[in-house]
Amino acid sequence: MPSGVPRAMRLVLDTNVVIAAVMGAGPPSRLIDLATEGSIDLISSDVLIAELTDVLHREHITRRLARKGRTAAEVIALYEDLVERPAAR
């Protein structure tokens, strides 16, 4: 990257922050918006995606998602498209 060109901030979001972002507005939701805009980069891992998948499939969460017209599978697919996963070493 040429000098003088700022890199986007890179963040790893805790599963609880991702759930909060999906469920409502506020700072967690804004992080997802910023990532979608390309202002920040979100980093995740297979372990964190697996944890997110588990939590999103819990009954009380699936009910809340349904009220918002979403499914766990949709949220996971969108999040996976949004995040970078570093290669395993």
Side-chain angles (χ1 to χ4, degrees):
M1 177 175 295
S3 64
V5 178
R7 288 187 59 183
M9 184 181 302
R10 302 177 81 199
L11 301 173
V12 176
L13 301 184
D14 180 77
T15 299
N16 291 325
V17 174
V18 178
I19 297 296
V22 170
M23 295 301 177
S29 181
R30 183 68 181 129
L31 291 172
I32 299 298
D33 293 342
L34 289 169
T36 301
E37 296 165 4
S39 298
I40 63 171
D41 294 329
L42 297 181
I43 312 300
S44 195
S45 68
D46 292 339
V47 171
L48 288 172
I49 297 291
E51 180 182 27
L52 179 63
T53 300
D54 175 62
V55 173
L56 286 171
H57 282 96
R58 294 178 185 169
E59 188 176 339
H60 68 286
I61 299 292
T62 57
R63 282 194 308 264
R64 289 177 66 191
L65 286 173
R67 286 194 296 266
K68 294 188 167 291
R70 296 181 172 168
T71 67
E74 291 169 340
V75 171
I76 294 161
L78 289 170
Y79 192 67
E80 284 183 318
D81 286 344
L82 194 58
V83 300
E84 297 175 30
R85 290 196 221 182
R89 293 182 187 192

